[in-house]
Amino acid sequence: MIWYNLTQICGYADDILAIAKSPPALEALCVEISKEAGRVGLVINPEKTKYMRFSASPSRRSVKEATINGVTYEGVAEFIDLGTLINNDNSVEKEIQRHILAGSRTYFAAISLFRSRLSSRATKITL
C-alpha cells in the first residue's frame, strides 16, 4: 500500500478496514464513515468494531480502548480479517502455525477415508 494520504479505506462485502497514520486522522475518518453510513440508514456496531494500533516501537502498540465521536471501541492485539490473522507486531509466525494446524486437521480427518475399503480407488484419487 502506498501512502499518499493520511487515511485509507479498504472494503470487502460488509467489512470496512479504516487505516490512518495518526489517531486524529483516524477519528476524522471514522466520523466521516459514520456520517455517510447514517445517510443510507446504516449504523456502525460498536460491539463488532475493533481498534488496533500498529507501531515499530513495542511501547507504542498499546492495547487499549479508543473513544471516537463518543463511542468506545475495544482495543485488540490481533484479529482475523478475511481469514488472515493480523497482529499489531506484524509477525507471521502465528498465521503460519494456523495454516499448519489447518492442514494437519484436514489430513488426519481425510486419512480414514483413504484407508477405507468402502471407497473405490477412483473416488480416493478424486479426493
Side-chain angles (χ1 to χ4, degrees):
M1 198 178 286
I2 300 174
W3 288 91
Y4 291 116
N5 302 322
L6 285 175
T7 60
Q8 299 258 333
I9 298 176
C10 303
Y12 182 79
D14 64 343
D15 290 336
I16 296 176
L17 184 64
I19 304 170
K21 283 188 172 184
S22 66
L26 179 65
E27 185 168 349
L29 180 62
C30 288
V31 167
E32 183 69 24
I33 290 172
S34 182
K35 183 175 78 171
E36 292 299 320
R39 285 182 50 212
V40 294
L42 299 175
V43 178
I44 296 173
N45 186 345
E47 287 83 33
K48 291 184 177 181
T49 304
K50 308 295 181 210
Y51 166 81
M52 180 185 293
R53 185 171 184 172
F54 293 92
S55 177
S57 170
S59 62
R60 297 183 68 198
R61 290 186 221 134
S62 60
V63 179
K64 60 181 182 178
E65 295 178 338
T67 302
I68 298 173
N69 201 22
V71 180
T72 302
Y73 300 105
E74 176 188 359
V76 295
E78 61 185 30
F79 70 96
I80 297 176
D81 182 47
L82 300 177
T84 302
L85 179 70
I86 300 170
N87 53 24
N88 64 355
D89 61 351
N90 202 24
S91 64
V92 296
E93 287 85 10
K94 286 185 179 179
E95 177 67 7
I96 292 170
Q97 287 297 332
R98 284 183 61 236
H99 282 275
I100 291 171
L101 183 62
S104 294
R105 274 186 287 189
T106 303
Y107 171 76
F108 286 108
I111 196 71
S112 63
L113 294 173
F114 291 125
R115 289 184 179 162
S116 172
R117 293 184 181 189
L118 298 174
S119 301
S120 68
R121 179 176 283 182
T123 302
K124 292 175 185 178
I125 291 172
T126 305
L127 292 175

